[in-house]
């Protein structure tokens, strides 16, 4: 079960507040799971509110390559704290962070902001740092050997009484440095004098290794992850696996990354739709969510500005574009091949991601969405043309269905249940509709069948000559595709066929002339 963010925060707070615990806390999670977002946007804020008496520092170990740099990063955080206290947090942010404050540049920089360098801490103060909390993020991305990194952190925990929170993807620890000098490591790994307790190996067996075996032996010899596992029990007292609760983090992501008010409101109102898509795909990567939302904001601004008389059609397209943007972004981030639009001239259409389950794995896709997600190609004119083509076709089809649903002939589908006077009135209205050419020729065969049945049952209001004459007028001006076979009938009742053919003969003649 996924822990709620508040529950994670409560666990961390309880651990760091308890003086009996002297080990570090590890927040473990997959890359892209939103650990850093959670720490900066939620955990840090709560810690500063509830542990206001403590000094709290956030430090990223991304790219750090020496123990001195770790110390320097701590010192930098201490200086930033002084700057924020002197100038106010908002003004303090204009100071360039991340420089090596041990350089002489610091004195000049602080004078510019009217901060007396006497107020700044000394490097020796780090050794005296007490009653503080340091959050080390990106442990697995630190370029320093993991034993050295953990040695520095362990020293802080044991000798300075500092509470440490580590943020990392445990599965990736040690992999950055493992690839360095890999050819030399392979050479050592094939030395059969190194006994690594391999199953199936005997004294008399000839030493030879498959690629997989060689990689495994090299990892056994050089993987920093091996060392990490040995010291983890000593250094880390509490491990919390973090998986984002998308429903909780969604609004915070929108507020932080979506700039325009209209798409922001739209995305907030469609929160559950987006969350459902990610949960159905079992994809909980916050970076993918951010990637997709930023892309959709651009689409929204273009599509929402399209001028079309019936706004509900544009709104419908926005919904479909939102869904496809989310799904396509997930497919791309999972490394799955996108739909091959280049093999088709289509701008949009139904896409099937899995033919084994076509109902659940189909979505209405748009070429322009993939163009942007894959190539950052945002062609506003092309997007507008695509959407207008779709909404025009949809509106035309809806108007046609609406017209057909309003036709009086539909009322005769169960004519035997109607009163005689009502039937006569409907037939009269059908004549008027035929005169106005409201009926497509595809209705003609069925209409004549129905009128023949009614005529045989004594309804003298049926005038074949009048009906066929009105149908002739429609066929003469009709430009769509309608062939003779569409009017022909097959039946074992030869009398019925003869009578039917006699009635529609004038229509057959018009169709034959058109074919000639």
């Amino acid at each position: 079960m996924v822990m709620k963010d508040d529950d994670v925060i409560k666990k961390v707070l309880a651990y760091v507040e308890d003086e009996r615990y002297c080990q570090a806390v590890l927040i473990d999670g997959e890359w892209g799971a939103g650990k850093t977002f959670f720490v900066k946007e939620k955990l840090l804020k709560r810690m500063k509110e509830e542990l206001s008496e403590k000094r709290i520092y956030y430090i990223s170990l991304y790219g750090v390559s020496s123990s001195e740099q770790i110390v320097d990063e701590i010192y930098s955080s201490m200086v930033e704290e002084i700057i924020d206290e002197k100038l106010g947090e908002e003004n303090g942010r204009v100071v360039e962070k991340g420089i090596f404050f041990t350089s002489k540049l610091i004195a000049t920089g602080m004078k510019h902001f009217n901060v007396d360098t006497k107020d700044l801490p000394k490097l020796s103060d780090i050794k005296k740092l007490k009653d503080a909390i340091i959050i080390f993020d990106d442990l697995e991305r630190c370029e320093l050997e993991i034993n050295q990194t953990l040695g520095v952190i362990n020293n802080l925990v044991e000798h300075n009484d500092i509470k440490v929170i580590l943020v990392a993807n445990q599965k990736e620890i040690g992999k950055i440095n493992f690839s360095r000098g890999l050819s030399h490591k392979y050479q050592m790994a094939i030395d059969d004098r190194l006994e690594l307790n391999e199953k199936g190996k005997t004294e008399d067996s000839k030493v030879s290794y498959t690629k997989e075996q060689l990689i495994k032996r090299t990892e056994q010899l050089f993987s920093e992850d091996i060392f990490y596992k040995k010291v983890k029990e000593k250094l880390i007292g509490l491990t919390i696996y973090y998986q984002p609760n998308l429903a909780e983090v969604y609004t915070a992501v929108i507020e932080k990354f979506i700039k325009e008010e209209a798409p922001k409101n739209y995305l907030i109102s469609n929160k559950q739709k987006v969350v459902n898509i990610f949960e159905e795909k079992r994809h909980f990567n916050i970076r993918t969510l951010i990637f997709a939302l930023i892309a959709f904001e651009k689409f929204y601004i273009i599509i929402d500005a399209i001028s079309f008389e019936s706004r509900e059609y544009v709104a419908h397209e926005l919904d479909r574009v939102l869904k496809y943007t989310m799904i396509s972004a997930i497919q791309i981030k999972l490394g799955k091949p996108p739909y091959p639009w280049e093999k088709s001239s289509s701008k949009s259409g139904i896409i099937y991601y899995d033919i084994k389950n076509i109902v659940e794995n189909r979505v209405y896709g748009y070429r322009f969405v993939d163009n942007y997600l894959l190539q950052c190609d945002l062609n506003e004119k092309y997007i507008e043309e695509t959407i207008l083509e779709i909404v025009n076709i949809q509106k035309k089809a809806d108007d046609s269905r609406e017209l057909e649903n309003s036709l009086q002939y539909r009322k005769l589908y169960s004519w035997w249940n109607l009163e005689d006077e009502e039937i006569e009135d409907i037939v009269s209205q059908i004549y008027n509709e035929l005169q106005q050419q409201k009926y497509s020729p595809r209705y003609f065969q069925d209409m004549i069948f129905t009128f023949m049945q009614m005529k045989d049952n004594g309804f003298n209001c049926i005038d074949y000559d009048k009906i066929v004459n009105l149908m002739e007028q429609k066929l003469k001006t009709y430009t769509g595709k309608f062939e003779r076979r569409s009017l022909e009938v097959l039946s074992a009742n030869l009398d019925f066929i003869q009578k039917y053919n006699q009635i529609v003969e004038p229509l057959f003649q018009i169709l034959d002339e058109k074919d000639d």
Side-chain angles (χ1 to χ4, degrees):
M1 183 177 177
V2 179
M3 287 179 64
K4 292 184 177 180
D5 287 357
D6 278 347
D7 293 334
V8 175
I9 292 171
K10 287 176 183 177
K11 277 199 170 188
V12 173
L13 287 174
Y15 198 83
V16 298
E17 286 183 288
D18 195 326
E19 295 180 357
R20 295 172 296 176
Y21 296 126
C22 58
Q23 293 172 293
V25 177
L26 170 66
I27 298 176
D28 177 30
E30 300 289 333
W31 277 343
K35 301 184 299 296
T36 298
F37 185 86
F38 162 73
V39 168
K40 286 186 172 182
E41 299 299 320
K42 293 192 173 183
L43 180 60
L44 261 175
K45 291 179 180 179
R46 281 281 293 278
M47 290 176 71
K48 288 179 179 179
E49 289 173 2
E50 300 189 23
L51 306 174
S52 56
E53 74 284 356
K54 292 184 179 291
R55 299 159 76 178
I56 304 170
Y57 305 114
Y58 170 87
I59 294 167
S60 172
L61 295 175
Y62 198 125
V64 171
S65 57
S66 69
S67 56
E68 290 79 9
Q69 194 174 345
I70 295 178
V71 174
D72 196 74
E73 290 291 338
I74 297 173
Y75 182 71
S76 299
S77 295
M78 294 170 68
V79 171
E80 290 172 18
E81 182 183 47
I82 298 294
I83 294 170
D84 288 341
E85 288 176 357
K86 293 290 182 180
L87 302 181
E89 188 172 348
E90 291 301 319
N91 292 326
R93 286 174 184 166
V94 302
V95 181
E96 184 68 26
K97 313 292 187 186
I99 65 171
F100 291 107
F101 284 100
T102 51
S103 74
K104 294 180 181 179
L105 291 173
I106 189 170
T108 305
M110 295 307 98
K111 287 179 181 178
H112 176 74
F113 290 99
N114 297 318
V115 176
D116 193 336
T117 53
K118 293 179 182 179
D119 294 330
L120 298 177
K122 300 176 182 177
L123 278 174
S124 58
D125 291 343
I126 293 178
K127 296 179 180 179
K128 303 174 185 177
L129 192 61
K130 300 285 183 181
D131 200 29
I133 300 171
I134 302 180
I135 301 173
F136 288 106
D137 198 356
D138 301 310
L139 176 64
E140 76 281 10
R141 289 188 171 103
C142 184
E143 295 182 7
L144 182 64
E145 297 290 334
I146 191 66
N147 58 336
Q148 291 179 271
T149 306
L150 295 178
V152 174
I153 294 172
N154 186 62
N155 187 60
L156 290 169
V157 172
E158 283 194 347
H159 304 297
N160 290 57
D161 297 325
I162 292 174
K163 296 286 187 176
V164 170
I165 300 171
L166 301 174
V167 184
N169 179 357
Q170 282 196 97
K171 293 191 299 185
E172 300 298 324
I173 287 177
K175 292 187 178 179
I176 288 180
N177 292 316
F178 177 74
S179 60
R180 293 176 182 171
L182 201 54
S183 60
H184 296 294
K185 292 177 180 178
Y186 284 151
Q187 288 178 3
M188 289 189 66
I190 61 176
D191 191 335
D192 61 313
R193 293 173 296 178
L194 297 171
E195 296 184 3
L196 300 177
N197 299 320
E198 293 162 306
K199 294 180 179 180
K201 181 182 176 183
T202 65
E203 292 183 3
D204 299 328
S205 64
K206 186 177 180 180
V207 178
S208 62
Y209 301 104
T210 65
K211 179 181 177 182
E212 290 72 21
Q213 288 173 328
L214 178 59
I215 293 173
K216 186 176 180 180
R217 281 177 62 86
T218 307
E219 288 178 345
Q220 283 184 275
L221 285 169
F222 299 104
S223 176
E224 296 178 29
D225 184 45
I226 305 298
F227 179 85
Y228 168 72
K229 288 176 180 176
K230 291 180 180 179
V231 299
K232 176 184 175 183
E233 185 176 348
K234 178 184 177 183
L235 177 62
I236 298 170
L238 173 66
T239 299
I240 300 172
Y241 184 77
Y242 181 78
Q243 179 176 307
N245 186 318
L246 292 178
E248 284 190 4
V249 77
Y250 182 85
T251 303
V253 169
I254 297 295
E255 292 293 343
K256 184 174 180 65
F257 292 98
I258 303 303
K259 299 177 181 179
E260 299 294 330
E261 202 63 29
K264 181 182 291 187
N265 292 335
Y266 178 87
L267 287 168
I268 289 175
S269 66
N270 283 276
K271 169 183 173 179
Q272 199 55 53
K273 184 182 296 183
V274 174
V275 170
N276 287 346
I277 291 171
F278 275 77
E279 289 181 345
E280 286 168 6
K281 297 293 180 181
R282 303 296 301 163
H283 191 79
F284 303 100
N285 193 300
I286 299 299
R287 290 200 192 104
T288 303
L289 177 64
I290 294 169
F291 169 66
L293 292 174
I294 291 175
F296 178 75
E297 179 184 26
K298 298 179 184 300
F299 302 145
Y300 179 96
I301 292 170
I302 296 170
I303 296 171
D304 188 57
I306 292 175
S307 178
F308 192 72
E309 55 185 358
S310 301
R311 293 300 299 172
E312 65 270 20
Y313 290 93
V314 176
H316 177 65
E317 287 311 295
L318 271 173
D319 287 347
R320 295 205 295 185
V321 169
L322 174 64
K323 182 176 181 179
Y324 184 66
T325 302
M326 300 302 120
I327 292 176
S328 185
I330 292 172
Q331 291 287 115
I332 290 169
K333 291 302 182 181
L334 288 176
K336 296 182 179 181
Y339 181 77
W341 293 102
E342 66 277 3
K343 295 182 179 180
S344 168
S345 60
S346 300
K347 297 179 181 178
S348 64
I350 298 292
I351 291 175
Y352 297 93
Y353 283 116
D354 184 358
I355 59 173
K356 294 179 181 178
N357 194 346
I358 61 175
V359 175
E360 294 182 6
N361 290 279
R362 68 177 182 179
V363 62
Y364 195 88
Y366 301 81
R367 184 193 287 257
F368 68 78
V369 170
D370 289 329
N371 285 350
Y372 181 76
L373 294 179
L374 292 166
Q375 305 164 12
C376 288
D377 178 10
L378 191 71
N379 187 324
E380 294 187 22
K381 184 178 179 182
Y382 181 80
I383 294 173
E384 184 176 348
E385 287 175 353
T386 300
I387 298 299
L388 280 174
E389 283 180 14
I390 295 170
V391 296
N392 274 307
I393 291 172
Q394 289 178 339
K395 188 174 188 309
K396 186 176 181 180
D398 287 346
D399 289 346
S400 178
R401 279 192 293 270
E402 185 179 351
L403 175 62
E404 290 178 0
N405 290 337
S406 67
L407 294 175
Q408 292 297 311
Y409 170 65
R410 298 177 66 87
K411 295 180 181 180
L412 293 182
Y413 285 167
S414 300
W415 57 268
W416 50 87
N417 292 324
L418 302 176
E419 298 293 333
D420 291 359
E421 291 183 0
E422 186 178 2
I423 288 177
E424 291 179 2
D425 182 59
I426 291 172
V427 170
S428 177
Q429 293 183 58
I430 290 174
Y431 288 156
N432 290 331
E433 289 175 341
L434 280 169
Q435 190 170 11
Q436 296 169 30
Q437 297 193 2
K438 288 186 177 182
Y439 289 92
S440 168
R442 61 188 176 86
Y443 281 96
F444 289 174
Q445 184 190 75
D446 189 58
M447 291 176 76
I448 293 171
F449 284 168
T450 302
F451 289 142
M452 288 175 68
Q453 288 178 327
M454 294 171 65
K455 183 83 169 179
D456 289 344
N457 280 274
F459 286 95
N460 296 321
C461 58
I462 305 300
D463 185 341
Y464 292 138
D465 291 337
K466 184 175 183 179
I467 292 170
V468 171
N469 181 261
L470 293 170
M471 290 179 175
E472 283 184 78
Q473 296 177 29
K474 176 68 176 182
L475 282 180
K476 287 177 180 178
T477 58
Y478 189 67
T479 57
K481 186 177 181 180
F482 188 77
E483 301 174 348
R484 177 189 177 103
R485 61 182 179 180
S486 299
L487 271 179
E488 292 175 343
V489 296
L490 296 175
S491 174
N493 189 331
L494 298 179
D495 290 337
F496 170 79
I497 292 177
Q498 184 179 2
K499 185 176 182 180
Y500 171 83
N501 288 341
Q502 185 178 352
I503 294 171
V504 300
E505 179 59 30
L507 303 182
F508 282 150
Q509 290 180 9
I510 293 174
L511 293 173
D512 291 342
E513 290 173 3
K514 281 191 171 185
D515 286 340
D516 294 339

